[in-house]
Amino acid sequence: MTQADVASRAGITSDTLSRFELGKASELGTRKLLSVLSVLGLELELREEGTSGSLDDLRKEHRTRR
């Protein structure tokens, strides 16, 4: 899927998505972010700061750091 495909399906412009990916978007907004994540088949998970997550989460984190 191209960036243009993702943007179109999420209901935003390619320019907006590009600026967000580059860290140059001043504000994307929660709805737009969730829409992009949905198009990509991803979810946003929020956790209380300082919580360690499950043992499986810690294993995944450890594997990605290698």
Side-chain angles (χ1 to χ4, degrees):
M1 193 175 336
T2 67
Q3 186 183 64
D5 292 334
V6 173
S8 176
R9 292 179 187 186
I12 63 174
T13 66
S14 294
D15 184 58
T16 298
L17 183 55
S18 176
R19 285 186 288 118
F20 177 70
E21 288 181 343
L22 296 171
K24 296 181 179 183
S26 58
E27 176 66 34
L28 183 66
T30 307
R31 288 183 189 168
K32 290 177 184 177
L33 174 60
L34 292 175
S35 183
V36 169
L37 291 174
S38 177
V39 168
L40 297 173
L42 301 171
E43 294 181 343
L44 177 64
E45 181 179 338
L46 302 174
R47 292 192 190 158
E48 184 178 341
E49 187 174 345
T51 59
S52 61
S54 70
L55 184 55
D56 286 337
D57 292 338
L58 293 173
R59 286 182 182 136
K60 288 177 191 175
E61 183 180 330
H62 180 70
R63 281 190 290 247
T64 58
R65 287 185 180 177
R66 290 182 181 182

